[in-house]
Amino acid sequence: MAFMEKPPAGKVLLDDTVPLTAQIEASQSLHSHTEYIIRVQRGVSAENSWQIVRRYSDFDLLNNSLQISTLSLPLPPKKLIGNMEREFIAERQKGLQAYLDVITTHHILSNCELVKKFLDPNSYSVNYTEIALQHVSMFFRSEPKWEVVEPLKDIGWRIRKKYFLMKIKNQPKERLMLSWADLGPDKYLSDKDLQYAVKLLSSCSHPYIYKITFATANESSALVIRPFSEKGTLKDLIYKAKPKDPYLKKYCNPKKIQGLELQQIKTYGRQILEVLKFLHEKGFPYGHLHSANVMLDGDTCKLLDLENSLLGLPSFYRSYFSQFRKINTLEAVDVHCFGHLLYEMTYGRPPDTIPVDSFPPAPSVFVVSVLESILTCEAMKNGMPTVSRLLQMPLFSDVLLTNLEKPQLKIPTKLKEALKTSKECIEKRLTEEQKLIHQHRRLTRAQSHHGSEEEKKKRKILARKKSKRSAYESGEEHSAKYSNSNNSAGSGASSPLTSPSSPTPPSTAGIKFTASDLLPIPFNTLS
């Protein structure tokens, strides 16, 4: 078996999608400024935490860098005079905590390199663009026909994935896009199988899969070249964004929120479900569906980044579906991600929370029906429909597919087995993470319940009752002990009860009485 049980050298073990939380624990005033001591935690384990120290100027610098998102972030204002007063520092600390809460819970901001470096400088200290350029330059030494036109800076959300606009030297007008990525924590294929599987992608042919021009991988990273589309992705269409703009600028705060037309929703949805069904039947793991991974080619949607699962990269929506133990296979992950994508196509924005309690008015009741089957609390607990079941639902079943190109993806038997084992390992890591989150949630709920005012009152009442019962039982026990001590005199036979102040009757053992001795004594003889 070409599968490696131990983590192979070269892959990044850190999962960048695990949320970071930040809590300001204290502040300390120095001669001219105040420092805030912040406890940062990765995931649910308190053991995986560390302290950082930040000044207000550090927050201000981060906030200026995040202005590209055009979001209105709640950073407390500057104050030049009186900024060392105790009351002001306490109030500013509250404001900075609110700021941290916003940037760590916003799905796009929390995953961006700027925020990660601010909260976890040790894990994100390197220049990933520089590393990518080094790898790309080495590639060009062996493939001189390619040439870099320009870096496409920050157009994607992944920290360890970089993009470059390319051209072929003898075809200078044709533009291509090169993506370079580190291998991620879910890389379980051997290096040999990985290299074979990645190269196989360029031979894949499907009407709803975006064509790969060239792909290669080594023991630490992979490089993929595709045609560059000026129209951009499905997400660019929804947000009316320019494909070359940075990710934060394109998608954080769209100027106009508007969903797609019903026919577009139906057609695009059907096409995406068809390609997911194809991949599931082939035993090819995906798990990376989102609107920025769907390229538009006229009226046709084409799936991007099939290599992601092979490289072991974590999913864009992992922090969502890791909360729900029923979503424990890559097929279920694809369905859950499809729910996010359908919501975005319908309403022009992502859902505010997951699960979704209620849905705004939609172009069709059939849209809401599909969304309810995937994104509601009931769906998360009881299970979601399969891709095949979704294709049979009224929203998609009457869509006519015009592209009759025959799909083709030939996977050799040995590689199929390796992919299956890799998929199982990816699902196992997900299940273990879900278990930890579930245990943490139960513990937090129990602690919250234990600390509630109602529970405190109940415990006080029970404590009083227990105290009274103990006092009563203690009194009874004392009386019983005293009685037993008096009753236990002699050899164990019963003794007459006497008052503590009464003299003990003299012993009559060995004395003989006559009849006259037993006669009553006359009263007048007593003195």
Side-chain angles (χ1 to χ4, degrees), residues 475-523:
E476 282 194 336
E477 187 180 344
H478 179 73
S479 300
K481 280 182 180 177
Y482 181 74
S483 298
N484 289 338
S485 66
N486 285 328
N487 290 340
S488 61
S491 59
S494 298
S495 301
L497 293 173
T498 59
S499 167
S501 58
S502 304
T504 305
S507 173
T508 58
I511 299 176
K512 294 182 179 179
F513 293 96
T514 62
S516 61
D517 291 325
L518 300 174
L519 292 174
I521 299 172
F523 180 76

Side-chain angles (χ1 to χ4, degrees), residues 158 234 268-269 271-273 275-276 286-295 301-305 308 315-318 321 330 333-342 344 387:
R158 290 189 188 277
L234 179 58
Y268 295 161
Q271 291 169 351
I272 292 163
L273 289 173
V275 71
L276 290 178
Y286 186 52
H288 291 272
L289 179 64
H290 59 91
S291 57
N293 267 356
V294 178
M295 191 66 79
C301 276
K302 298 194 175 186
L303 213 58
L304 284 170
D305 288 3
N308 280 2
S315 172
F316 180 66
Y317 290 120
R318 187 181 179 90
F321 59 72
L330 287 185
V333 166
D334 283 336
V335 171
H336 176 78
C337 295
F338 180 78
H340 282 264
L341 186 146
L342 181 60
E344 212 169 4
V387 168

Side-chain angles (χ1 to χ4, degrees), residues 22-27 36-39 59 93 96-97 100:
Q23 191 71 34
I24 302 176
E25 294 184 322
S27 61
Y36 298 92
I37 302 164
I38 305 167
R39 171 71 57 180
F59 280 90
Q93 182 172 320
L96 293 176
Q97 184 61 60
L100 286 172

Side-chain angles (χ1 to χ4, degrees), residues 286-513:
Y286 186 52
H288 291 272
L289 179 64
H290 59 91
S291 57
N293 267 356
V294 178
M295 191 66 79
L296 284 176
D297 185 5
D299 293 328
T300 305
C301 276
K302 298 194 175 186
L303 213 58
L304 284 170
D305 288 3
L306 262 64
E307 70 275 10
N308 280 2
S309 58
L310 304 177
L311 308 183
L313 307 184
S315 172
F316 180 66
Y317 290 120
R318 187 181 179 90
S319 61
Y320 289 101
F321 59 72
S322 60
Q323 306 291 322
F324 306 101
R325 299 175 80 181
K326 284 278 185 181
I327 308 173
N328 54 15
T329 66
L330 287 185
E331 290 85 357
V333 166
D334 283 336
V335 171
H336 176 78
C337 295
F338 180 78
H340 282 264
L341 186 146
L342 181 60
Y343 190 102
E344 212 169 4
M345 286 197 294
T346 304
Y347 300 112
R349 59 179 180 84
D352 295 325
T353 57
I354 296 292
V356 181
D357 296 324
S358 61
F359 297 91
S364 166
V365 292
F366 294 142
V367 175
V368 175
S369 177
V370 176
L371 289 171
E372 286 176 341
S373 73
I374 300 173
L375 295 180
T376 58
C377 187
E378 186 181 356
M380 306 289 182
K381 288 180 179 178
N382 302 328
M384 305 170 299
T386 62
V387 168
S388 296
R389 176 72 190 95
L390 287 170
L391 281 165
Q392 295 170 359
M393 295 182 81
L395 183 62
F396 308 114
S397 60
D398 62 349
V399 175
L400 294 174
L401 299 176
T402 54
N403 197 321
L404 302 176
E405 179 189 340
K406 189 178 179 181
Q408 188 175 346
L409 178 58
K410 291 182 180 179
I411 305 174
T413 306
K414 283 187 178 180
L415 182 58
K416 235 176 205 179
E417 285 298 314
L419 288 172
K420 182 183 176 184
T421 310
S422 175
K423 176 179 177 289
E424 288 169 356
C425 289
I426 293 170
E427 292 168 350
K428 184 182 178 184
R429 187 175 83 87
L430 173 61
T431 303
E432 288 171 352
E433 185 180 336
Q434 289 170 332
K435 186 179 178 182
L436 287 174
I437 292 171
H438 179 70
Q439 289 172 346
H440 174 73
R441 193 184 291 130
R442 286 185 65 183
L443 179 63
T444 304
R445 199 182 296 130
Q447 289 172 342
S448 176
H449 179 68
H450 189 72
S452 67
E453 289 300 320
E454 188 179 345
E455 278 300 303
K456 286 178 182 177
K457 287 179 183 178
K458 284 182 182 178
R459 287 199 297 276
K460 282 181 182 178
I461 293 168
L462 286 172
R464 287 196 205 104
K465 286 182 179 179
K466 190 176 180 181
S467 178
K468 287 179 182 178
R469 194 183 301 118
S470 297
Y472 176 73
E473 288 173 354
S474 178
E476 282 194 336
E477 187 180 344
H478 179 73
S479 300
K481 280 182 180 177
Y482 181 74
S483 298
N484 289 338
S485 66
N486 285 328
N487 290 340
S488 61
S491 59
S494 298
S495 301
L497 293 173
T498 59
S499 167
S501 58
S502 304
T504 305
S507 173
T508 58
I511 299 176
K512 294 182 179 179
F513 293 96

